Amino acid sequence: LFVAFAFRDVPLSQLVFAFFGGFFGILPDGITFLYLISKKKLFPRFTRFHFFCHSLIIPQGKHPPAWLGILTQSIAVALCVLALLPR
């Protein structure tokens, strides 16, 4: 959404790559979220790999609480939506 607002004059054919980048950028977190809320534990191998990649960046036991991640992502989405609203 932010990309669409910031680059309103750029042709849509060029913005498609930015949209795909945003989609595939949040896809791993979305799959992990499905794993955490599902009772059948979907995609266990992928989720272990995702957690492993996070542990390379942030040491085990030092992760911020989940509510903080959800809050910051929600704020970012809300700001992007507000930026797109007509003034």
Side-chain angles (χ1 to χ4, degrees):
L1 294 175
F2 174 74
V3 172
F5 176 74
F7 300 100
R8 283 186 264 188
D9 300 329
V10 177
L12 182 62
S13 61
Q14 293 179 358
L15 287 178
V16 168
F17 293 112
F19 287 117
F20 278 126
F23 173 77
F24 287 110
I26 64 170
L27 185 63
D29 289 330
I31 292 172
T32 303
F33 177 74
L34 289 175
Y35 173 83
L36 294 174
I37 66 167
S38 70
K39 294 180 181 177
K40 294 184 178 184
K41 297 299 179 189
L42 304 169
F43 312 109
R45 286 185 182 172
F46 175 82
T47 303
R48 280 197 307 271
F49 177 71
H50 186 76
F51 287 150
F52 169 74
C53 291
H54 276 263
S55 70
L56 295 175
I57 299 169
I58 302 172
Q60 202 66 353
K62 303 276 184 181
H63 290 277
W67 66 265
L68 183 60
I70 293 169
L71 177 68
T72 55
Q73 288 187 7
S74 299
I75 290 171
V77 168
L79 290 174
C80 289
V81 170
L82 286 175
L84 290 172
L85 294 176
R87 295 174 196 243

